[in-house]
Amino acid sequence: MRRKLFAVIVVVLLLVGSVVVTSYVVLSQEVQKPFFVGVTHWGYSVQEAKDRIDQVKDYTNLFITQGGEIFWGNIEAMDEIGEYAIASNLTYAVAVSATIAAPRLVDWAVEAKERWGEQFLGIYFNDEPGGHMLDGQAILEMTYQPAINSMGISIQKMPGGIIMTQSDNGRTYYKPSGEINTQPAFSPIDVTYYTNGTITANVFNSDYERSDFYTSENITKCPYPIPLYEEVLAQNPIQNYDDAANAYVNMNRELLESTCKTLLSENSAVVFTADYGLYWWDYQSGYDLVLAELGWNNSITQELGLVRGAANLQNKQWGTILTWKYDQAPYLPDGEEMFEQMKTSYEAGADYVVIFNYSEDPRNPNTLQGEHFQALERFWNDVVQNPKIKHGGIKAEAVLVLPQNYGWGMRHSNDNIWGIWQPDNTLQQIWTQLQNKIDQYGLKLDIVFEDPSHSTTWKYSNIYCWNQK
C-alpha cells in the first residue's frame, strides 16, 4: 500500500514539475519576445543618415531609411547606410515605393538578408494603402495587353468615392449618389444618367466641340445607342462591401508579389507598411507587419484595438508609428505625449514602435526636436530596460466583432465606408457599441471583423457582436 502511495506521489510531483517547467518556458518566451523601437529617416546624403544613427544608436535598435537619396533605389547608398547602422548595433530596414519596386531592389533585399541576417528587417513597402482607399485615389485593378501596347482594363477608386472603369469599350464613372457618366470608346458621345431618371447626352464633332445635346424628352432621336441605366449600373465592378474588399486585397497582393513577396518571405525578410485604416485587409493582402499610425488626435485605444486584433487573429506582427499631430510645424506631439504613446504601445504588446521623422519642408525634412530625442531615451531607459514594466502586460480580455468586410474608416461616427459609401443604416449602432466597449475595457479590447477563416472563440473569453443588445 505504501509503495502504491509513494508511486502516486512521485507521479503527481513529476506532473507538477512538468507544469512548472512548461510555465517557466512559456513565461521565458514571453519575456524574450523581440521588441524594436526606432526612427525613420528622410535625407539627401549618406552622411545625414550616419549623423542620425550616431544621435539615436544608444537608445534605439531600429533604423528605417524612408526617403531622399535611397528612396529612389540607390543601391550603393543603401549598402553604406546599412553597414553603418549594423555596425552601430541597429536593425536596418529600407522603404520602397510601389512605383520603383524593381527586381533589382528585391534582389538587393534578398542579398541584404543573407549578408546581415537578423539585423536586416526587410522593406517598408507602399505607404498607407488603406488611407489611399479611404481618402484618396486607389488603383484596384490594372491589366495590360502588351501585344497592342494598350490598357486592357483599369478600375480606380477616385477621391469622393467615384469608381472609374476604363477598358477597350470606353470609360465610365460611377458616383456614390447613383449618378453615372459613360464615354463609349470610338464614339463621339458622352452620356450622363441622373438619379431622378433624367438622361442627357452630348454629341461632339471632330473638333471635340458639342454639336448636339439630348435629354430624356428627345433621347430617342440620338443617332447613337443609349443603353438603359440598369445595364450600365450592372457593369459597376464594385457593387457592395464584399466587392470592395476583394478588389482592395487582390490589388495589394499583386503589388506585393511585384516585390517578389514570396521570395522575401522565404528568406525571412519582413514586408511591412504603415497605415491609418483598414488594417484587417492590409494583413489579408499579405503584409507581415502593419504599423498603426498614432496622430491627428485620433483614439489611441481604438487604433491599438484594431491593429492588435487584426494581428492576433491573423497571426501577424504589429506595431505603431508615431506621426503628425499637426499638419504644420511642429508636426509631432510634445515629448511627454510621445513618451506616453510609446509606453502605451509597449504595454499593449506592440512588436515595434517607430517615430515618423519627416516634414514637408524640403529645407528641413526632419521633425524630431530635442524633447523628442529625450523622450526616446527616457522610453528606452525607463520602460524598455525596466524589468518592472512588462512588454505586452496589458492583454486583450474581450473582442468586439464587426460585420464582415465592413471597411469603415472609424475616425468619427460619420466616416466613409471603403472610401466609396457614406454611413449606412447600421453604422450608428456599430459606433455606439464600439464606444461602449472601449469605455468598458479600454486597452484590453480587440476589434476584429467577421471572417469564417478566423475564429474568435479560441482566442477570447468575452466576445461581443456589433449588433448585440
Side-chain angles (χ1 to χ4, degrees):
M1 184 67 183
R2 290 181 178 177
R3 288 182 180 178
K4 291 183 179 179
L5 180 60
F6 177 78
V8 171
I9 293 173
V10 169
V11 170
V12 170
L13 288 175
L14 287 174
L15 289 173
V16 170
S18 163
V19 171
V20 170
V21 170
T22 302
S23 300
Y24 173 79
V25 171
V26 171
L27 289 173
S28 298
Q29 289 174 344
E30 289 182 359
V31 170
Q32 294 173 359
K33 184 180 179 182
F35 173 76
F36 296 92
V37 56
V39 299
T40 67
H41 175 74
W42 184 290
Y44 301 100
S45 73
V46 170
Q47 189 57 50
E48 284 180 325
K50 290 182 177 180
D51 291 342
R52 183 67 69 211
I53 289 170
D54 288 338
Q55 190 171 21
V56 301
K57 65 183 180 182
D58 292 333
Y59 45 86
T60 63
N61 58 3
L62 175 63
F63 190 77
I64 303 173
T65 49
Q66 191 176 16
E69 183 174 344
I70 56 173
F71 185 74
W72 304 110
N74 185 326
I75 300 297
E76 292 74 19
M78 291 192 291
D79 276 340
E80 187 173 351
I81 296 170
E83 291 287 357
Y84 196 82
I86 287 164
S88 301
N89 202 31
L90 299 178
T91 297
Y92 181 50
V94 174
V96 176
S97 167
T99 59
I100 61 166
R104 180 169 176 248
L105 292 178
V106 177
D107 291 341
W108 173 86
V110 172
E111 292 172 1
K113 192 67 181 178
E114 294 174 349
R115 185 192 330 165
W116 293 321
E118 292 184 357
Q119 283 192 270
F120 179 70
L121 177 64
I123 61 173
Y124 177 169
F125 177 71
N126 194 28
D127 191 40
E128 298 179 338
H132 294 158
M133 185 69 183
L134 290 170
D135 295 330
Q137 180 168 321
I139 299 174
L140 297 176
E141 184 174 342
M142 188 80 74
T143 59
Y144 294 92
Q145 299 174 354
I148 58 175
N149 195 30
S150 68
M151 191 180 341
I153 186 170
S154 169
I155 303 172
Q156 297 184 45
K157 200 287 298 186
M158 312 289 286
I162 298 172
I163 297 296
M164 187 273 283
T165 65
Q166 182 171 331
S167 69
D168 294 338
N169 295 323
R171 180 180 297 177
T172 303
Y173 296 88
Y174 297 91
K175 297 183 180 181
S177 64
E179 181 181 314
I180 302 174
N181 174 261
T182 183
Q183 303 160 12
F186 311 112
S187 180
I189 190 171
D190 182 312
V191 182
T192 300
Y193 301 85
Y194 298 92
T195 55
N196 62 2
T198 301
I199 302 176
T200 62
N202 292 298
V203 177
F204 301 90
N205 59 28
S206 58
D207 295 323
Y208 298 102
E209 296 177 349
R210 191 172 80 178
S211 58
D212 291 295
F213 177 69
Y214 300 89
T215 65
S216 299
E217 287 73 20
N218 64 349
I219 199 72
T220 55
K221 296 181 180 180
C222 180
Y224 300 96
I226 307 294
L228 294 174
Y229 173 81
E230 291 75 15
E231 295 175 349
V232 181
L233 181 63
Q235 295 173 17
N236 183 355
I238 312 295
Q239 298 274 348
N240 51 49
Y241 302 159
D242 291 342
D243 291 339
N246 290 333
Y248 178 79
V249 168
N250 289 338
M251 189 60 199
N252 279 327
R253 281 177 179 166
E254 291 180 12
L255 284 173
L256 285 167
E257 280 308 314
S258 73
T259 70
C260 297
K261 170 68 170 59
T262 302
L263 179 61
L264 291 170
S265 296
E266 289 174 353
N267 287 271
S268 301
V270 174
V271 180
F272 64 100
T273 190
D275 221 330
Y276 58 88
L278 307 182
Y279 310 133
W280 181 268
W281 297 275
D282 286 344
Y283 283 121
Q284 289 199 328
S285 300
Y287 281 105
D288 304 307
L289 160 69
V290 176
L291 303 175
E293 298 180 5
L294 305 186
W296 308 286
N297 294 309
N298 59 356
S299 167
I300 293 178
T301 301
Q302 178 177 297
E303 298 306 318
L304 294 183
L306 281 164
V307 70
R308 184 179 62 188
N312 279 346
L313 278 194
Q314 299 186 53
N315 195 29
K316 299 291 184 76
Q317 301 179 72
W318 71 277
T320 59
I321 182 166
L322 282 58
T323 186
W324 292 0
K325 182 176 181 178
Y326 315 99
D327 58 3
Q328 58 187 3
Y331 295 104
L332 295 173
D334 61 36
E336 183 62 31
E337 185 175 354
M338 179 179 287
F339 173 81
E340 291 299 330
Q341 290 178 348
M342 290 189 288
K343 182 174 181 288
T344 299
S345 300
Y346 180 85
E347 292 180 309
D351 302 299
Y352 298 80
V353 171
V354 178
I355 308 300
F356 179 63
N357 182 29
Y358 170 74
S359 78
E360 292 185 335
D361 183 355
R363 297 165 299 178
N364 181 23
N366 298 294
T367 54
L368 287 171
Q369 305 299 318
E371 62 178 322
H372 302 128
F373 293 113
Q374 292 171 10
L376 262 171
E377 186 170 11
R378 178 186 167 199
F379 173 66
W380 180 263
N381 292 328
D382 295 354
V383 177
V384 179
Q385 301 297 318
N386 185 353
K388 295 181 180 179
I389 299 180
K390 184 179 179 182
H391 178 214
I394 301 175
K395 300 185 182 299
E397 295 179 355
V399 63
L400 176 61
V401 184
L402 304 186
Q404 184 169 352
N405 289 331
Y406 197 75
W408 175 30
M410 297 182 69
R411 292 161 291 186
H412 50 79
S413 60
N414 291 311
D415 209 348
N416 70 68
I417 303 168
W418 285 112
I420 301 172
W421 296 280
Q422 292 303 303
D424 60 17
N425 295 330
T426 64
L427 192 146
Q428 192 56 54
Q429 183 179 0
I430 297 172
W431 178 257
T432 301
Q433 181 77 301
L434 174 65
Q435 302 312 308
N436 288 340
K437 291 298 172 281
I438 287 178
D439 289 343
Q440 182 178 353
Y441 288 98
L443 292 169
K444 297 179 180 180
L445 177 73
D446 277 355
I447 306 165
V448 302
F449 295 82
E450 293 177 8
D451 188 328
S453 301
H454 301 286
S455 173
T456 57
T457 54
W458 66 275
K459 189 78 175 178
Y460 305 93
S461 55
N462 299 301
I463 302 172
Y464 300 93
C465 292
W466 63 273
N467 56 356
Q468 187 172 331
K469 298 296 184 180

